[in-house]
Amino acid sequence: MDTRQIWRVVSGFVACIAGLYFIIFFTEHVAQLPPVNWGQKVWTLLVLSIFVWIGIIFLGATIWKIILAGLGHYLSWQNCLMIYGFSQLGKYLPGNFGHIAGRVVLAKRVGVPVTATAQAMILEVAWSMGVAASIALCGFLLGRDMEDTKWLLLLIVAGAFLAPWTGVALSNRFFSGLVFRLTGVSRLSSPGLIRMCIGCMLYILTFLVVGLLLDFHASVFFGADVSHVFLATVFFAWSWIAGYITPGAPAGLGVREAVLVSTLTPLYGAGVAVGVTISLRLITTLGDGLAFLVALLIRSLYKGSVSIEQPERKL
């Protein structure tokens, strides 16, 4: 059994344990789940949350377009949104890899080489993980009431902005063989300053918006009388990292829920923590499905008129 097979077995085991933990936690605390008053306010927030999640998905598409532009491939907005929307459902396949494979295949059909898509995805991982880790560390430091926290937070945020360059430099220095196997090139290209800043800001915005959604769900859906937007953002970052690095959990299923109920319980109580964890999974799943339908709509509206590449429109 090679390293890759061992990692798959271990990650699958972790995903199963996390899922079992959430199920046990749910059964023990479901009686504490506050009743939801299905009035206009609740339905409005539910619908808005789904559309906000669709917006988050297409923010990811924007970041991907920015990265590809830095590599010399200028997708039209229509193609970019279609590819990103179509590939979202792939993350629900076993292995948590389908959305990556789907994007590679679809991008190749519109003229983006596999090597460029692979490079772009490595940079996406560096950006997203860097931002998520910075937010998670911010919460850890604030929680420990460390002195001079503001300067530490500033350094952490700066580290998140430098994550793409740092990741590229380390990959080129120590993992050139792996880079070549994944991308077909011996060295990754570093992102430009403007693209790096835009990408990092969009990722930070994404995590903050999800933190706001969690806090709104706690108060509007389940009647929580306290607000913890920052900590909700921090704990979502923790859960996102855990779900992302566990390939055996499709779309982080089980792993993300286990982390969220454990971390949100001290903030809102066990019942509300269970409720917002379920509501987040509900809106993200529905949002992913609707993003797929939006991609279908874009394809039908622009069929025959979607340009493959637009090198004259550089970001």
Side-chain angles (χ1 to χ4, degrees), residues 66 127 161-165 191-201:
I66 291 171
W127 259 328
F161 276 85
L162 294 174
W165 286 335
L193 177 61
I194 295 178
R195 292 188 177 93
M196 182 202 68
C197 291
I198 294 174
C200 284
M201 292 304 297

Side-chain angles (χ1 to χ4, degrees), residues 285-309:
T285 303
L286 292 175
D288 288 337
L290 286 177
F292 181 86
L293 296 179
V294 170
L296 283 176
L297 178 62
I298 293 174
R299 187 178 69 172
S300 65
L301 290 176
Y302 292 94
K303 188 174 183 180
S305 62
V306 177
S307 59
I308 292 178
E309 296 188 44

Side-chain angles (χ1 to χ4, degrees), residues 120-135:
M121 288 183 172
I122 291 175
L123 290 173
E124 279 185 81
V125 171
W127 259 328
S128 57
M129 291 295 289
V131 171
S134 72
I135 293 173

Side-chain angles (χ1 to χ4, degrees), residues 46-55 57-58 81 85-86 88-89 92 282-298:
L46 180 61
V47 173
L48 285 177
S49 298
I50 294 172
F51 280 101
V52 166
W53 184 254
I54 295 173
I57 291 172
F58 291 132
L81 296 179
F86 283 140
Q88 281 303 300
L89 294 186
Y92 292 95
L282 174 65
I283 66 165
T284 55
T285 303
L286 292 175
D288 288 337
L290 286 177
F292 181 86
L293 296 179
V294 170
L296 283 176
L297 178 62
I298 293 174

Side-chain angles (χ1 to χ4, degrees), residues 46-118:
L46 180 61
V47 173
L48 285 177
S49 298
I50 294 172
F51 280 101
V52 166
W53 184 254
I54 295 173
I56 288 174
I57 291 172
F58 291 132
L59 273 182
T62 301
I63 296 171
W64 184 50
K65 177 177 171 63
I66 291 171
I67 295 174
L68 284 176
L71 298 174
H73 299 276
Y74 305 95
L75 277 180
S76 66
W77 283 107
Q78 295 92 337
N79 272 339
C80 187
L81 296 179
M82 281 193 298
I83 292 171
Y84 220 85
F86 283 140
S87 62
Q88 281 303 300
L89 294 186
K91 66 186 180 184
Y92 292 95
L93 297 175
N96 200 18
F97 188 76
H99 60 299
I100 296 176
R103 209 190 314 171
V104 170
V105 172
L106 293 172
K108 185 178 180 181
R109 290 182 180 178
V110 296
V112 181
V114 173
T115 55
T117 305

